[in-house]
Amino acid sequence: MPEAAADQPDREGPGETPPGDRGAEWSGGRSKTISDKAREHICLIGRTSPADWKITAFSTRSLAKLAERLVKQKLVSAISREALRRIRRAGKVSWKTTTTWKASTDPDFIAKMHRVLALYDTPPADGRVICVDEFGPLNLMPRKGKAWGPVRRPRGLRATCNRYGGVRHMLAALDLATGRLYYRIRPRKRWRELLGLLKALRTRWPGEKLYVVLDNFSPHKHAKVCAWAADDDIELVFLPTYGSWRNWIEAEFAALRQFALNGTDHRSHDEQNAAIAVYVRWCNARAEPKRAFAPDSPIRSWTEYPVRAA
């Protein structure tokens, strides 16, 4: 059987040597039928796409398709899917999900990025760094999620819903000095709602200069918002275009979605808002100063904008 024959060579022990290389240290045993060159080629194929080999019939290979091609190219006489799986695992090649990326069109990308990183790493002595953003829209709908439960008995949620309750938006601010989150939920997220949040932050920390990090959403750059901020000792620090992931508050939003909203099916905004409020209070009671933003990220070494950033 081809599969059984292909699996036999993988039983070779670490001290065994093929017959052609037998020396004083060879201790016997089966020789390899899948050469090191073939193994390297298999791993190389795993790190590339069929298009790189001018194959247009499919965009990715299954193990069965790969085995068929290797035999057709006479690289091996026969090989099983399990042998392919072991060779790829040994070569640190695994099955990956495709990701997407969006390059920034901001000509001042590097300067803006380093400005934000400098505020994160060494907060100014004359003020406080605040990250501001919107989270939502907050619909009334069943939300998929993961949770512990009995084996083979997943928790069920309704599949359909009528969204008669409209939507809400969460406007939030993360204080890096304490790690505490401040927020309000409103029906809309216009410049007026943002200005109301900034005024509340100004009242909370009178006498301190506020460095507010935020993205390029149009209400953030509204003339009345910018004018009021300049008059009240608030510096608006804008992120590079398509650079929202550099806003530290995004990590808080991801945790909020996972632990407070996923797996829920709230029937009213009051009920959903109450769940968010309880979660935020829980987080603030355990908050710690925010330090070391993306310490091992390659963005730390960028001196020019790479083609496939973001």
Side-chain angles (χ1 to χ4, degrees), residues 1-185:
M1 296 291 290
E3 289 195 2
D7 283 346
Q8 293 295 331
D10 288 311
R11 297 177 183 174
E12 171 190 308
E16 296 170 354
T17 308
D21 298 326
R22 290 179 182 177
E25 75 283 0
W26 181 62
S27 59
R30 274 185 201 277
S31 61
K32 290 182 178 179
T33 59
I34 304 176
S35 66
D36 290 338
K37 180 179 179 181
R39 291 168 185 262
E40 291 174 6
H41 187 74
I42 289 169
C43 291
L44 175 62
I45 291 174
R47 291 189 289 267
T48 55
S49 70
D52 297 326
W53 302 85
K54 301 187 185 305
I55 297 173
T56 58
F58 38 82
S59 61
T60 189
R61 289 189 181 94
S62 65
L63 291 177
K65 288 182 174 64
L66 177 56
E68 179 185 351
R69 183 166 181 81
L70 292 173
V71 172
K72 185 177 180 180
Q73 291 181 328
K74 298 182 178 179
L75 201 63
V76 295
S77 58
I79 188 169
S80 70
R81 285 178 290 181
E82 182 58 31
L84 281 174
R85 194 174 287 113
R86 288 200 297 267
I87 290 171
R88 286 192 167 192
R89 187 184 301 119
K92 296 184 179 180
V93 177
S94 62
W95 188 254
K96 300 288 186 182
T97 300
T98 302
T99 61
T100 59
W101 58 275
K102 179 176 283 189
S104 176
T105 56
D106 196 327
D108 299 320
F109 178 90
I110 292 296
K112 290 181 179 179
M113 181 193 70
H114 284 300
R115 167 61 171 156
V116 172
L117 290 178
L119 289 174
Y120 290 168
D121 295 340
T122 55
D126 66 337
R128 185 179 295 261
V129 181
I130 310 291
C131 293
V132 169
D133 202 4
E134 293 84 12
F135 176 74
L138 295 170
N139 294 289
L140 295 177
M141 58 183 288
R143 300 174 185 271
K144 294 189 300 182
K146 294 183 178 181
W148 297 105
V151 175
R152 297 182 180 177
R153 289 188 180 181
R155 204 169 85 198
L157 295 174
R158 56 182 176 149
T160 59
C161 62
N162 296 315
R163 305 183 191 181
Y164 296 140
V167 301
R168 300 291 184 272
H169 301 273
M170 178 178 178
L171 292 85
L174 175 65
D175 174 26
L176 300 189
T178 63
R180 294 175 65 87
L181 193 67
Y182 303 93
Y183 77 99
R184 50 182 57 188
I185 294 177

